[in-house]
Amino acid sequence: MSTPPANGSSSSGDDSTKPVNKAISKIDLDGHNLPPSPAPSSPSNGRRRYALATELVYTDSKDQYGASSIPIYQSATFKQTSSSGGNEYDYTRSGNPTRTHLERHMAKIMNATRALAVGSGMGALDVITRLLKPGDEVITGDDLYGGTNRLLTYLSTNQGIVVHHVNTTEVERVREVISDKTAMVLLETPTNPLIKIADLPTIARSVHEANPKALVIVDNTMLSPMLCNPLELGADIVYESGTKYLSGHHDIMAGIIACNDPALGDKMYFTINATGCGLSPNDSFLLMRGVKTLAIRMEKQQANAQSIAEFLESHGFRVRYPGLKSHPQYDLHWSMARGAGAVLSFETGDVTLSERIVEAAKLYGISVSFGCVNSLISMPCRMSHASIDAKTRKERQMPEDLIRLCVGIEDVHDLIDDLSRSLVQAGAVTINLDGFQAAGTAAQLGATPLDSGAP
Ligand SMILES: Cc1ncc(COP(=O)(O)O)c(C=O)c1O
Ligand SMILES: N[C@@H](CCSC[C@H](N)C(=O)O)C(=O)O
């Protein structure tokens, strides 16, 4: 696991599986010295031979014509050689070569023995929660993506599942509610949108000690496998929205589930085949194409996010981003992740001020979602998290004025210029001769120091 670079900027470089080859590290074919390969920092299940950035583009395609890009098998059915079958595939709901190719690639990238591709991130969570039965209990966070909260609320209202929402930044809060009825502990880290960090290894250990049958599920959408491998930190199942960083262009909906337990994999595959939520061949192709550029996109996106977070913080805003040393769980985050990602949120102290900033932005699209090549701006309480009712949002201390920025790959100067102009136009900052200065006092702007575990 790497630590953040000394200059504070984030890095997406993952060399966790790179072999240490001293002979090669000394000289390359042109006679130039190469830097030594870093030692592996995390266990690999043996299927990854190269650094993650290399593995993302390296695929073992067995196409009969040697196609370098897996073809889209746009077929619902597959002919059999006899009445009892004989072909690996029969029907695309049950399996499709393009989807299988993607699933094998994702298993390798996520260091899992099995990966499954479905129609959306929520589809992935639906498949996972079908492992539950009435009476089971789920422990989860008090800051969660709105759609996740909605599905869990549905399960608790209609399916006899008991859901405990606790502050997952405090391991003790999780321990307090674990019982022999706990079937799942579902974690986001960083959380969407308050960027709270959960101690995955400690929580996973505590859960497994207290109840070996309970499953630790991690939603890794906010980081992607480029920055974090929850399966290596104790999770039993990891899932993420492929709509975000994995595909990277906001042109498809997708979800990926990964695990290392064959029995769990088979149960979830059963649900996918039984319900028909497997990813289509066309979207499997697009996700496969998108994931090849994940490393380079993430590197640029998080470098841009780091600069924007520092810019906002230097002007007195309370910024939530794990790349900032002011984040109360900075060290914990970097003990688990290889980068800070490209989603940050900040408060202005005033809902209408936030509205004016968001609506003044030109380069940042007013849109839900994140992880895409273009930058987005949103007010989570009105958009991505609007399905959580106002009373619950208040109880969970979600600031109504919160602005979320999802940073893309544009030129960082353009991004900062557009944000500066929006802040000035909205009246959030005034200009003095030294540059920008916050218009209100730090307190008015909500620029109070973050407490450990603060919402
Ligand atoms: C953290 C998180 N998990 C899961 C999802 C669900 O993904 P999808 O929109 O692909 O269903 C989202 C966003 O939608 C999200 O932000
Ligand atoms: N209307 C949608 C909102 C999707 S939000 C997408 C994404 N997870 C985000 O955080 O922006 C819904 O109700 O689900």
Side-chain angles (χ1 to χ4, degrees):
M1 225 87 48
S2 62
T3 48
N7 64 9
S9 68
S10 49
S11 157
S12 64
D14 165 80
D15 295 298
S16 58
T17 59
K18 204 159 182 165
V20 181
N21 187 333
K22 294 216 170 79
I24 289 176
S25 75
K26 286 207 180 90
I27 193 162
D28 70 3
L29 290 176
D30 300 326
H32 298 300
N33 283 338
L34 293 172
S37 305
S41 58
S42 59
S44 162
N45 61 17
R47 272 163 297 113
R48 273 167 37 184
R49 284 189 282 163
Y50 306 107
L52 199 43
T54 309
E55 292 286 6
L56 286 167
V57 292
Y58 176 80
T59 64
D60 264 332
S61 176
K62 300 273 188 303
D63 178 71
Q64 59 180 320
Y65 300 112
S68 50
S69 158
I70 183 77
I72 306 171
Y73 282 88
Q74 190 65 45
S75 181
T77 51
F78 297 84
K79 282 187 190 152
Q80 306 303 306
T81 51
S82 76
S83 58
S84 50
N87 193 341
E88 191 181 345
Y89 298 97
D90 70 339
Y91 196 56
T92 280
R93 173 159 45 69
S94 308
N96 175 285
T98 315
R99 186 159 78 227
T100 303
H101 183 77
L102 168 72
E103 289 176 339
R104 291 194 180 136
H105 191 61
M106 289 314 302
K108 178 187 73 168
I109 298 307
M110 296 165 91
N111 242 348
T113 54
R114 183 99 186 245
L116 298 159
V118 296
S120 70
M122 290 320 302
L125 184 60
D126 181 45
V127 168
I128 294 166
T129 54
R130 284 176 192 243
L131 296 166
L132 296 166
K133 55 182 187 340
D136 280 350
E137 299 197 0
V138 175
I139 303 173
T140 192
D142 59 0
D143 183 40
L144 284 176
Y145 161 54
T148 302
N149 187 76
R150 176 172 51 205
L151 180 57
L152 294 175
T153 305
Y154 173 84
L155 293 175
S156 87
T157 311
N158 301 289
Q159 306 285 317
I161 309 294
V162 178
V163 180
H164 301 276
H165 291 273
V166 300
N167 181 355
T168 47
T169 61
E170 293 173 24
V171 181
E172 209 34 56
R173 301 286 85 75
V174 178
R175 282 200 191 107
E176 277 165 10
V177 282
I178 297 176
S179 74
D180 55 2
K181 290 189 181 148
T182 307
M184 282 184 190
V185 176
L186 169 59
L187 302 164
E188 272 182 26
T189 184
T191 59
N192 173 13
L194 296 181
I195 320 292
K196 300 202 302 188
I197 310 298
D199 183 342
L200 294 183
T202 309
I203 294 179
R205 213 177 315 113
S206 302
V207 170
H208 290 141
E209 273 167 20
N211 179 350
K213 282 194 275 179
L215 297 174
V216 175
I217 317 288
V218 176
D219 178 341
N220 197 37
T221 307
M222 291 280 277
L223 292 178
S224 90
M226 196 62 224
L227 304 184
C228 186
N229 287 73
L231 291 177
E232 293 168 3
L233 300 173
D236 300 293
I237 301 177
V238 59
Y239 74 99
E240 58 189 81
S241 166
T243 318
K244 314 289 191 307
Y245 291 109
L246 294 179
S247 56
H249 295 74
H250 282 168
D251 47 11
I252 60 160
M253 301 292 301
I256 297 288
I257 308 167
C259 67
N260 278 318
D261 176 342
L264 271 180
D266 287 348
K267 281 184 191 168
M268 293 190 287
Y269 167 75
F270 174 87
T271 300
I272 292 169
N273 186 30
T275 64
C277 62
L279 193 63
S280 73
N282 196 56
D283 287 344
S284 297
F285 170 85
L286 286 172
L287 184 50
M288 188 66 208
R289 183 171 68 169
V291 85
K292 290 181 186 173
T293 56
L294 174 63
I296 195 158
R297 280 186 282 110
M298 185 60 95
E299 190 173 330
K300 175 72 173 157
Q301 283 180 257
Q302 62 179 358
N304 284 353
Q306 181 73 32
S307 300
I308 292 169
E310 287 170 8
F311 163 80
L312 284 167
E313 188 169 60
S314 71
H315 292 293
F317 292 98
R318 178 184 184 179
V319 184
R320 298 161 190 264
Y321 183 62
L324 291 176
K325 292 242 164 69
S326 57
H327 192 291
Q329 296 162 299
Y330 178 88
D331 290 334
L332 174 62
H333 175 82
W334 284 95
S335 71
M336 301 184 294
R338 296 178 285 268
V343 179
L344 58 107
S345 54
F346 67 102
E347 288 154 70
T348 66
D350 181 326
V351 181
T352 53
L353 178 59
S354 295
E355 186 182 298
R356 289 203 300 276
I357 294 168
V358 168
E359 290 173 6
K362 288 202 172 88
L363 204 46
Y364 300 78
I366 305 177
S367 169
V368 294
S369 207
F370 56 89
C372 161
V373 288
N374 50 294
S375 295
L376 307 172
I377 191 164
S378 67
M379 290 181 72
C381 291
R382 295 177 176 189
M383 299 169 70
S384 50
H385 294 69
S387 61
I388 304 176
D389 62 74
K391 182 170 163 278
T392 308
R393 290 201 303 265
K394 195 166 182 198
E395 280 163 11
R396 296 187 189 166
Q397 293 171 287
M398 187 184 290
E400 295 289 316
D401 61 314
L402 193 75
I403 296 179
R404 194 183 69 183
L405 291 178
C406 304
V407 183
I409 63 169
E410 302 92 335
D411 185 283
V412 72
H413 301 103
D414 286 337
L415 289 174
I416 291 183
D417 283 354
D418 194 54
L419 188 57
S420 311
R421 191 197 41 73
S422 307
L423 292 171
V424 172
Q425 196 176 314
V429 295
T430 51
I431 303 175
N432 66 11
L433 290 178
D434 301 328
F436 292 107
Q437 188 161 307
T441 63
Q444 280 166 336
L445 287 163
T448 46
L450 289 162
D451 299 316
S452 180

